[in-house]
Amino acid sequence: QVQLQQWGAGLLRPSETLSLTCEVYSGSFSGYYWSWIRQPPGKGPEWIGEISHSGSANYNPSVDSRVAISIDTSNNLFFLSLSSVTAADSAVYFCARGKFNMRHAFDIWGQGTLVTVSS
Amino acid sequence: DIVMTQSPLSLPVTPGEPASISCRSSQSLLHSNGYTYLDWYLQKPGQSPQLLIYWGFNRASGVPDRFSGSGSGTDFTLKISRVEADDVGVYYCMQARQTPFTFGPGTKVDF
């Protein structure tokens, strides 16, 4: 059964860079799209961006100038980097997998990482 | 961006009774390929969201058949034929017709 295990720093100061990693257990990268989604406390989710198994990425314009999503298929990992964070970036961050050959229909999710930005 | 709205935002339910949630998009979610890019997710308290429905009506693997999705264009509905205790949580619709994918504000279902 495919699982996503994510990790990264949970407390950042303003202007620092958020870095999260998501590891894919018992599954293949090929044929799937991999997304990052965040959810501010008490609010609905926000799609941050995605990367294909071949490394092609798409981002939400709301963070486009600060975000980068990358993959390491050799080690079944994909990454999120968000620079120049502010308090508005405080949220639970999730990694997720779209169904086979689909960019959406996120059928596997990581456990979530709470990121707090505070001085 | 495509704006998603949901109603109601809060839905008190009774076990064994039906429930219905409405979702509306600011643009049609029907693609020229014939597919409608609308998903439904349930986020149970303290958990990650879980996929219920994709393509507007396809139940995800393991989802009970008491859940059904319908609708077209800009208006969609998620129905629960008989609510069970395990169905409490926040339900979100999400459009994937164009990026950025956007979610609705959520409908909190509780007893």
Side-chain angles (χ1 to χ4, degrees), chain A residues 2-30:
Chain A
V2 179
Q3 295 183 44
L4 300 182
Q5 183 74 29
Q6 58 182 103
W7 66 87
L11 180 60
L12 297 171
R13 299 195 185 280
S15 80
E16 292 184 334
T17 296
L18 179 158
S19 296
L20 297 176
T21 300
C22 187
E23 183 166 6
V24 181
Y25 286 95
S26 304
S28 170
F29 258 86
S30 182

Side-chain angles (χ1 to χ4, degrees), chain B residues 27-105:
Chain B
Q27 300 176 34
S28 175
L29 303 185
L30 176 64
H31 192 280
S32 57
N33 63 12
Y35 287 96
T36 296
Y37 286 71
L38 189 280
D39 300 339
W40 287 97
Y41 297 87
L42 164 61
Q43 188 171 28
K44 297 180 181 180
Q47 296 186 18
S48 305
Q50 59 187 78
L51 177 66
L52 295 176
I53 302 284
Y54 59 98
W55 296 138
F57 68 95
N58 269 88
R59 269 190 306 276
S61 176
V63 174
D65 61 7
R66 64 178 183 274
F67 290 93
S68 64
S70 63
S72 62
T74 61
D75 290 285
F76 304 92
T77 301
L78 177 71
K79 293 183 178 179
I80 310 173
S81 59
R82 295 175 305 280
V83 175
E84 296 188 2
D86 193 44
D87 300 337
V88 299
V90 182
Y91 290 77
Y92 296 99
C93 57
M94 188 201 85
Q95 69 81 19
R97 175 62 181 83
Q98 66 185 49
T99 56
F101 302 153
T102 47
F103 291 81

